[in-house]
Amino acid sequence: MMTAPVVETHALGKSFGETPVLRDVNLKLYAGRAAILIGGNGAGKSTLLRILAGLGRPTTGRVTIFGEDSLSLSHQNRRRIGMLSHQSWLYPNLTAGENLEFYATLYGVAHPEAVADRWLDRVGLLSFRRERVRAFSRGMEQRLSLARAVLAQPMLLLLDEPFAALDPDGVAIVGGMVREQVERGCAVVMTAHGPTAVEGLELEAYSVVRGRLAPYGGERRGGRLRSIPGR
Amino acid sequence: MAASSSRGSAVNPSGAKKARGVPALAPWLGVATLALMVASLFMVFEYVPTEAEQGIVQRIFYFHVPCAWVAFAAFGLVAISGAFYLWLGDQIWDDLGYASAEIGMVFCTLVLITGSLWAKPIWGAWWTWDSRLTTTFILWLLYGGYLMLRAMADDTPEVARFGAVVGIVAALDVPVIIVSVRLWRTIHPAVLVTRQGGHGLEDPRMVATLLVATVAFTVMFAWLLMLRFAQLRLRTRMKELRRQLALAEASAGDL
Amino acid sequence: MRAMGAFAAILRKDLRLELRSGQSTVALFALSLLILVVLVFTLSPDPANRAEASAGALWVAMVFAGMLGATRALLAENENGCMRALATSPIDPAMLYAAKLAAAFIFMTVAEGAAVILVVLFFNLEFGPELLRLAPPVVLGTLGFSALATLLAAISGRTRAGDLLLPLLAVPMFVPALIAGVKASAAALSGAELSAMTRWLGVLVAFDVLFVTLGGLLFEHVIGED
């Protein structure tokens, strides 16, 4: 394939003060592909996602997103990144609908109300349109936050533990949405504590151990995850 | 281990390598400071004629004014290094700005103390809200705020950026402060003092003394700045070495 | 054009949140009330310099209440990490700053309208059209204060010291506007000619232009992360 990768990190290293968090990370991901970073708490997964979102500076090495340096992303390219963080990035005193409409307007999406409705429906929260987010459960907040991340049709989607805190219905909804985004041509990077699979989607799996990235299960297994092991 | 750093990267390993301890020039500046200070003291106490109206106290002027000049220059340097830090992201500029702010604060304090000592016999009060004293006092508060920010926050590139922003904003605020304080004093009912110390250096020996003292204080500032800056550079370098050490230890742990 | 859309969206959202909780304006007003009460007890206003004392009281209330209340809209973004959402969004940091400044300005102006009424009552001034002469200095001072406080609160809100640091940084910087604002307000209340106010209004305008510009230029550096 001759197209440039959506995400490329070159010997990316990150330290907070003296503490190394990421070490020599080389990750490459093309459009229409999904990667999963598997590792325990404090392995550096979230830090990596934040750097990919332009929220942190690499200490060493370089990160290019859509062929641009991640530290100086153009507005156009920043618009094409969607992120689901640990925190929901939702305003507790706004309703579900108002939250989505706000972000749709911020991202310059046409017809914010219709877009908000469509995504509320997709994450199964349309009946909660007028409820304030403060009253939401963790799982509902997570689904709404995913709707927020995808409503501007991103070409790079960064998902920090998208399946945490979800019930089986929620897992199905979020899994389906991730697959749709990949099929649309979006590149997806997500994190998980353990091996996770998304139905009908081939994942490029990496393990993250103390800030280092390696193909999941070693070279022998080729770092691919297709089905949910042990289920 | 690739250690390429992009432009704008806040931690610049190559910058840290430049730190080589106290520059060879520093002791010479120390010697020059000593010589010039002795010369200024001699001129202030032995050479310059006593000012007719204010008498012997006026001699403090030859230390007061150079201190003010150094404080202003130091705070200006804080703003300039702040701008360079935001532009280039190299820690060297933050080290320079921080060192300059600390030393500027020392001289600003000296301006207030010498001003106060001078004010007591002349104006009959330790403190008056004279426009220059007031402006200096506001400056002292401004950079006190800057140093409080640095003291109360962690030592991260983020806080270095905050310091740069505060340093720039404070310096550009200074002209507005000067204008407003001057207007405030001139319009205020005249409690004060039309006589302004420091004007009417009719004797050329007075000008010469002021000049020598100014040079002496400027050289002293350069000397102190060099020492403090070198120390901060070493600290930066030590942090970078510690970071690399932690990285190496982590890599050794992989095996 | 889209930049204006984002500005409007953020401001509208902040106003909506404020209408729902009222926390900024109520906090601003309540603090102003308390500060004015303290000042009445400590100053024991003398009828001779009533104009100066009441102008001074108004500005003391404005600065210290503003320190705690004006930047609530900015600090509310720290909840659920919303500031990061704004930092990753395609909005220009200068526009974000402008929206936050506008929100702080609106909340403070509303609270000050109420504070002026309190000052008139507490200091036995007259209600009348001459009170409108207070508008230029108060509005210009509020704009400058909002500009300054929005920039500095973004800094202090992210340090360990937090709220303690904001007054340490903001009060010395606000001195020129404070001097000019108090003098112009006193002139307005004592019924002096308009020309007595103009030079002070000039200082206020210069202060506002300086800080709005600097805030817009530098805001990106205080919201960025490492």
Side-chain angles (χ1 to χ4, degrees):
Chain A
M1 206 195 276
M2 287 307 293
T3 50
V6 173
V7 172
E8 194 169 11
T9 72
H10 309 269
L12 166 65
K14 175 74 184 175
S15 299
F16 287 117
E18 295 162 22
T19 321
V21 181
L22 292 173
R23 294 181 287 141
D24 199 24
V25 170
N26 293 289
L27 177 71
K28 199 189 267 191
L29 191 69
Y30 289 90
R33 301 289 307 167
I36 185 159
L37 313 174
I38 301 165
N41 292 324
K45 308 180 304 277
S46 302
T47 305
L48 178 53
L49 282 198
R50 279 186 25 212
I51 290 176
L52 296 183
L55 273 175
R57 296 162 171 276
T59 306
T60 53
R62 206 155 46 85
V63 177
T64 51
I65 309 284
F66 304 116
E68 263 184 3
D69 193 300
S70 70
L71 292 175
S72 53
L73 277 183
S74 64
H75 284 200
Q76 242 163 340
N77 279 336
R78 228 185 300 158
R79 215 184 147 275
R80 294 160 71 197
I81 302 176
M83 179 156 183
L84 173 72
S85 152
H86 253 318
Q87 292 172 298
S88 69
W89 296 2
L90 298 168
Y91 296 91
N93 281 331
L94 291 184
T95 67
E98 286 165 349
N99 264 296
L100 292 193
E101 281 168 34
F102 170 66
Y103 282 106
T105 317
L106 209 58
Y107 276 78
V109 174
H111 313 296
E113 274 188 49
V115 169
D117 279 345
R118 190 179 127 222
W119 286 107
L120 282 168
D121 194 26
R122 183 67 189 86
V123 296
L125 292 173
L126 193 55
S127 54
F128 294 93
R129 192 186 207 295
R130 288 176 203 292
E131 298 287 325
R132 291 199 196 171
V133 170
R134 189 175 286 293
F136 278 23
S137 72
R138 181 79 184 85
M140 289 160 78
E141 217 178 84
Q142 178 116 338
R143 281 186 276 159
L144 185 62
S145 190
L146 180 64
R148 173 191 57 68
V150 298
L151 54 71
Q153 308 259 16
M155 294 312 288
L156 171 60
L157 192 54
L158 306 165
L159 307 173
D160 202 356
E161 298 185 22
F163 298 106
L166 291 179
D167 57 15
D169 285 351
V171 172
I173 291 174
V174 170
M177 285 174 73
V178 172
R179 196 178 59 244
E180 282 165 24
Q181 295 298 319
V182 173
E183 282 164 1
R184 194 170 57 74
C186 179
V188 177
V189 184
M190 56 184 151
T191 68
H193 280 302
T196 309
V198 179
E199 219 186 310
L201 199 63
E202 189 189 69
L203 299 176
E204 299 177 15
Y206 298 90
S207 63
V208 186
V209 181
R210 294 190 302 125
R212 283 188 87 95
L213 208 63
Y216 185 72
E219 305 293 337
R220 182 176 50 82
R221 292 196 29 201
R224 294 278 188 267
L225 278 178
R226 278 174 191 281
S227 59
I228 305 171
R231 235 187 234 187
Chain B
M1 173 88 237
S4 66
S5 77
S6 56
R7 196 186 77 84
S9 162
V11 181
N12 188 337
S14 59
K17 284 195 196 88
K18 285 179 216 145
R20 286 271 179 267
V22 178
L25 184 60
W28 295 109
L29 276 179
V31 171
T33 302
L34 185 68
L36 282 160
M37 277 295 163
V38 171
S40 345
L41 278 171
F42 173 80
M43 289 177 86
V44 168
F45 286 109
E46 296 294 335
Y47 168 76
V48 79
T50 303
E51 205 260 344
E53 277 183 72
Q54 300 187 17
I56 196 94
V57 222
Q58 188 267 347
R59 290 170 193 258
I60 203 168
F61 162 86
Y62 302 105
F63 270 33
H64 179 74
V65 170
C67 282
W69 143 249
V70 168
F72 269 86
F75 294 151
L77 190 57
V78 176
I80 291 167
S81 13
F84 274 102
Y85 181 71
L86 293 182
W87 180 30
L88 300 169
D90 193 328
Q91 182 62 29
I92 196 169
W93 294 108
D94 182 54
D95 290 340
L96 183 61
Y98 194 7
S100 192
E102 285 183 336
I103 296 167
M105 195 64 183
V106 172
F107 283 94
C108 198
T109 310
L110 286 175
V111 178
L112 292 179
I113 293 171
T114 50
S116 189
L117 290 175
W118 189 9
K120 180 64 179 166
I122 298 301
W123 295 333
W126 291 111
W127 184 261
T128 58
W129 292 96
D130 158 68
S131 72
R132 286 169 211 206
L133 274 182
T134 306
T135 304
T136 312
F137 183 50
I138 305 298
L139 270 186
W140 190 82
L141 292 174
L142 268 181
Y143 288 89
Y146 172 96
L147 292 178
M148 293 289 263
L149 163 71
R150 303 303 302 245
M152 283 180 177
D154 296 318
D155 205 5
T156 62
E158 237 164 69
V159 175
R161 277 207 308 279
F162 297 164
V165 167
V166 171
I168 293 170
V169 172
L172 293 176
D173 197 18
V174 168
V176 192
I177 294 175
I178 291 174
V179 169
S180 65
V181 169
R182 196 167 289 163
L183 280 175
W184 177 58
R185 283 327 310 183
T186 50
I187 285 181
H188 215 257
V191 189
L192 216 105
V193 207
T194 42
R195 190 174 59 187
Q196 290 280 351
H199 281 301
L201 292 178
E202 61 285 328
D203 194 304
R205 283 175 294 175
M206 289 179 173
V207 180
T209 307
L210 180 62
L211 210 64
V212 171
T214 304
V215 172
F217 273 85
T218 308
V219 172
M220 177 154 83
F221 168 63
W223 179 48
L224 292 174
L225 182 68
M226 194 175 275
L227 291 178
R228 181 67 176 138
F229 175 61
Q231 191 203 346
L232 289 176
R233 291 307 294 154
L234 284 174
R235 193 184 65 160
T236 301
R237 185 168 178 224
M238 189 178 70
K239 277 200 268 179
E240 172 60 17
L241 289 174
R242 277 203 181 139
R243 190 188 68 76
Q244 287 176 5
L245 182 67
L247 198 63
E249 277 173 357
S251 302
D254 289 337
L255 302 173
Chain C
M1 276 301 99
R2 211 174 59 223
M4 284 315 289
F7 169 84
I10 295 173
L11 183 56
R12 203 165 51 230
K13 180 219 22 131
D14 284 343
L15 294 180
R16 179 178 275 157
L17 285 172
E18 181 61 23
L19 284 176
R20 249 164 229 183
S21 69
Q23 58 169 351
S24 300
T25 26
V26 170
L28 279 164
F29 176 70
L31 278 167
S32 306
L33 171 66
L34 291 173
I35 291 167
L36 287 175
V37 168
V38 169
L39 286 175
V40 168
F41 286 144
T42 48
L43 283 179
S44 55
D46 155 20
N49 60 1
R50 197 187 283 157
E52 290 213 337
S54 48
L58 180 66
W59 281 75
V60 169
M62 168 175 154
V63 169
F64 285 95
M67 209 74 71
L68 290 163
T71 54
R72 291 289 128 187
L74 180 76
L75 300 178
E77 300 289 354
N78 292 341
E79 208 171 7
N80 284 343
C82 289
M83 198 54 158
R84 286 184 171 159
L86 295 176
T88 52
S89 78
I91 183 179
D92 200 332
M95 273 296 145
L96 175 56
Y97 173 74
K100 290 293 162 189
L101 160 59
F105 175 71
I106 291 169
F107 303 155
M108 268 188 93
T109 309
V110 170
E112 267 155 31
V116 168
I117 295 172
L118 290 178
V119 167
V120 172
L121 292 173
F122 289 179
F123 288 83
N124 298 317
L125 304 173
E126 297 293 328
F127 283 105
E130 68 273 8
L131 277 183
L132 282 178
R133 289 153 51 94
L134 267 180
V138 168
V139 167
L140 287 172
T142 306
L143 179 63
F145 186 83
S146 312
L148 177 65
T150 301
L151 178 67
L152 295 177
I155 290 176
S156 66
R158 287 179 55 197
T159 61
R160 276 182 285 125
D163 285 348
L164 180 60
L165 197 55
L166 180 59
L168 291 177
L169 295 173
V171 172
M173 287 194 193
F174 193 63
V175 160
L178 185 64
I179 292 174
V182 170
K183 290 289 164 191
S185 302
L189 286 174
S190 64
E193 285 169 41
L194 210 62
S195 61
M197 282 167 73
T198 45
R199 69 170 76 199
W200 296 121
L201 295 182
V203 172
L204 283 168
V205 168
F207 185 87
D208 290 1
V209 169
L210 177 70
F211 275 92
V212 171
T213 313
L214 282 178
L217 288 174
L218 296 173
F219 201 60
E220 67 171 305
H221 297 291
V222 300
I223 60 169
E225 293 186 47
D226 289 296

